[in-house]
Amino acid sequence: MLYRVRAVLAALWGGLLVCVAAVAAPSAFAMLERAQAGKLVARVFELDAQISLGLGLMLLMVERRLQRDAAGPVMTPNLLLPMAALFCTAAGYYGIQPLMEAARAGQGAWSFGALHAVSSLFFGLKTLAVLVLAWRASRAPA
């Protein structure tokens, strides 16, 4: 049962991230004035960060339980992948986002564009980690 829960959670999380990156953000900038689109996308990324924290923690708990029940190794790729995604969420949204706001106001050492690139890198790495986890979780347990 927990194997299915892990697979569903990872697939939902991966789908959310792909939808944000491929549908929500580009659509907002295609349809709205730049400032309005920026506000909308900022809200979408805020929700993504909150949901990512919740799903990541749930996946960590599920994976720890699966490893404990199987008396397997403590650190596995299926545990490291959500940990990496959680790190990318914390660093990318909660670390970089406040710096981006300061850069937009003309403060800080880094430009908004440079911080946006770093934030995009963290989001891309998070998406990759979650999609790899979803792929691994979709396989039948050994």
Side-chain angles (χ1 to χ4, degrees):
M1 172 73 172
L2 282 178
Y3 289 102
R4 288 188 177 138
V5 169
R6 177 180 65 188
V8 168
L9 289 175
L12 286 173
W13 193 7
L16 167 74
L17 296 173
V18 169
C19 184
V20 166
V23 178
S27 295
F29 282 99
M31 299 298 296
L32 299 172
E33 174 207 320
R34 188 169 183 83
Q36 289 177 321
K39 287 180 183 180
L40 175 63
V41 171
R43 177 66 176 143
V44 168
F45 281 116
E46 177 185 358
L47 291 172
D48 160 65
Q50 293 168 356
I51 292 168
S52 289
L53 290 178
L55 289 172
L57 290 173
M58 284 191 283
L59 279 163
L60 284 175
M61 290 187 295
V62 167
E63 189 58 35
R64 276 300 300 136
R65 176 67 185 265
L66 289 171
Q67 293 307 314
R68 190 187 74 199
D69 291 349
V74 175
M75 286 301 209
T76 64
N78 288 349
L79 186 67
L80 292 173
L81 288 166
M83 288 174 72
L86 284 170
F87 172 79
C88 288
T89 299
Y93 184 77
Y94 295 103
I96 301 296
Q97 184 64 29
L99 298 175
M100 289 173 66
E101 291 299 321
R104 189 176 285 126
Q107 303 167 345
W110 287 32
S111 70
F112 177 83
L115 291 168
H116 186 275
V118 172
S119 176
S120 296
L121 177 67
F122 277 123
F123 189 84
L125 291 173
K126 172 174 73 169
T127 302
L128 180 63
V130 172
L131 291 177
V132 169
L133 177 64
W135 179 272
R136 291 177 57 85
S138 69
R139 297 183 301 175

